[in-house]
Amino acid sequence: VTDPEVDLQPPTATIAPEEFVTLTAGVTGVPDGSTLVYKWTTPGLLGSLGDGSSYETSSNQATYTAKEDVDGDESVMVEVFRVTGPG
């Protein structure tokens, strides 16, 4: 048995104001047939995920869009929860 692992791709990205990057969370180590929920969050000072700074979804992808006239670094985090499945 292995511990679940989340691999966020791309691990880093450089985007200009008003541009976006699509992030993908790959998950290994969960039983086949599991239903996963992804919680995406960012501080939201320099950009947003969808219409805000946090949301939950069944999709392993999220789009981060930089605000206009901003410069700097901002993190995006993803937490993955197994809500149903074997084991």
Side-chain angles (χ1 to χ4, degrees), residues 19-83:
E19 288 189 354
F20 67 90
V21 61
T22 299
L23 304 162
T24 303
V27 181
T28 58
V30 295
D32 289 343
S34 296
T35 300
L36 303 176
V37 171
Y38 300 81
K39 182 178 180 183
W40 297 91
T41 58
T42 186
L45 300 173
L46 304 177
S48 63
L49 295 164
D51 292 334
S53 61
S54 177
Y55 71 99
E56 292 183 12
T57 179
S58 61
S59 174
N60 72 330
Q61 292 190 321
T63 300
Y64 175 88
T65 304
K67 295 179 180 179
E68 60 180 304
D69 301 323
V70 295
D71 185 31
D73 296 334
E74 186 159 62
S75 298
V76 174
M77 286 84 38
V78 60
E79 295 177 271
V80 183
F81 303 94
R82 183 170 66 119
V83 292

